[in-house]
Amino acid sequence: MSASMPGSAAPRRQGFWDWRAACNFMFGGAGAGTLVYAAAMSSPTAGLGLLGLALVCCGLLCVWFEIGRPWRALNVFLHAGSSWMSRESIVALPLLGIGLGAAWYGGRLLPWLTAALALAYVYSQARMLQGARGIPAWRHPRVVPLMIATGLAEGAGLGIAAQLLLDPATLPGWSAPLLIGLVLIRELAFVAYLGSLGPADAPTRAREVLMRFARRFIGLDVAAIIAAAFSTIEPGQAWAVGLAGLMAAFAGGWFKFVLV
């Protein structure tokens, strides 16, 4: 949302980016987080890597269609010195190439290189959101750690759920504690971001929308933490951590959709 003056009572919804731009943050951040989670596996599986890459590609495809004249998208590579969108696109090229190599050849080096590029990708997305100076709710500096934290939590959640569907035997015992930790970090980042939004930082209406959403967001994260904790208490109930992962991923995607 944006307004003519911070704190005004009647802000207008931003009209620069639509749902397709929101999907870039939703799919791209979750995909990057999945690639980081895949690299943390002792034996990275091709399925997790391909899932992460597919999500990143879906996000980029949404942006490509949003432009209206898709071939103009090539111009995005010309402004690396001043545009985080350009940096996101430039990082995407080696991310996809090395990520495919990691899925094909396996090993340890390529998955970690992919994870490093995935972190650079989600960081570029976060800075791109913060760089939209006309949208007060986006430009707060605490939006950067929040976007990174939610991307990692979403990726871990999707990775855990995918492992349970594809090959439950590959799910490590530390997956539930990891998910709990990432969701808690995301909650801390979210509360810090929301608590720092004063009248000088965002319009009144934007803060009201975020405050109403906060109840649902925190509720989903608490439910995810409880489900993941239950799976550690009852080791035979692996479905619970899978459900926790899906809730964590859904909550993060919902937050990005509301924010954008």
Side-chain angles (χ1 to χ4, degrees), residues 79-173:
H79 307 286
S82 59
S83 169
W84 282 103
M85 182 178 290
S86 294
R87 292 163 191 163
E88 175 203 34
S89 302
I90 290 170
V91 170
L93 296 178
L95 172 62
L96 296 176
I98 295 176
L100 286 173
W104 183 264
Y105 294 106
R108 297 303 303 160
L109 177 60
L110 290 178
W112 279 114
L113 284 176
T114 303
L117 288 167
L119 286 173
Y121 184 83
V122 76
Y123 177 75
S124 298
Q125 282 200 331
R127 290 298 303 272
M128 179 170 61
L129 196 64
Q130 186 201 13
R133 296 298 178 183
I135 315 297
W138 297 354
R139 67 187 181 201
H140 197 283
R142 287 187 177 176
V143 81
V144 174
L146 174 55
M147 292 295 289
I148 295 172
T150 191
L152 293 176
E154 294 161 32
L158 289 175
I160 289 168
Q163 281 181 293
L164 286 174
L165 287 175
L166 299 175
D167 190 0
T170 64
L171 187 68

Side-chain angles (χ1 to χ4, degrees), residues 27-42:
F27 291 130
T34 304
L35 292 170
V36 175
Y37 175 79
M41 299 294 98
S42 57

Side-chain angles (χ1 to χ4, degrees), residues 185-196:
I185 291 171
R186 177 172 74 180
E187 274 304 311
L188 290 174
F190 178 72
V191 171
Y193 163 72
L194 204 59
S196 64

